[in-house]
Amino acid sequence: FFLGQALADVRGGIAQSINTATGEEIDAVGGWAELTFQFTDTFRMAGGATIDNVDNDDLGGGARGLNWSMYVASTLSWGGGLKSGLDAIFWETDWKDTGIGNAVRVNFYTQLDF
């Protein structure tokens, strides 16, 4: 959970800290939650959600007012520090005065920890 002003440095406020037209700080509230289940020693899955809600009174026209997402993620460890993962994310942004945009992202990765 987070609550504050000018939170862009800590990934809050949808990367908005200051209204450049007024010079005022932008207030935001939000948070995230994730639940992970380890199925085996080598395979785990997670699901979660995020929200970042900016005070619309602090924004100029066309700025981002609300971001939220839901996701599922899986990781398979191959051994020796090698792992692969597959994530699916639904992301929605509400733009002040201009509408809503959304996206579905699917990511695959392979990583070597050393």
Side-chain angles (χ1 to χ4, degrees):
F1 175 79
F2 62 85
L3 169 69
Q5 297 176 316
L7 297 172
D9 288 348
V10 291
R11 309 260 181 179
I14 317 173
Q16 303 167 113
S17 286
I18 305 290
N19 181 324
T20 57
T22 65
E24 297 294 320
E25 293 179 330
I26 296 172
D27 296 339
V29 61
W32 59 95
E34 181 176 282
L35 182 61
T36 301
F37 187 75
Q38 189 80 33
F39 286 94
T40 69
D41 288 344
T42 60
F43 181 71
R44 73 175 185 206
M45 290 193 70
T50 70
I51 189 165
D52 193 349
N53 191 7
V54 175
D55 184 349
N56 283 348
D57 293 336
D58 294 343
L59 300 176
R64 296 175 307 276
L66 173 69
N67 264 357
W68 68 271
S69 68
M70 295 185 306
Y71 61 91
V72 293
S74 62
T75 306
L76 178 63
S77 297
W78 300 98
L82 183 64
K83 60 179 76 168
S84 297
L86 180 66
D87 307 333
I89 306 164
F90 175 83
W91 193 301
E92 184 166 288
T93 301
D94 184 356
W95 299 81
K96 182 180 179 183
D97 303 327
T98 59
I100 294 174
N102 54 46
V104 175
R105 299 179 183 180
V106 177
N107 305 309
F108 173 77
Y109 67 91
T110 299
Q111 169 181 319
L112 178 61
D113 297 333
F114 57 92

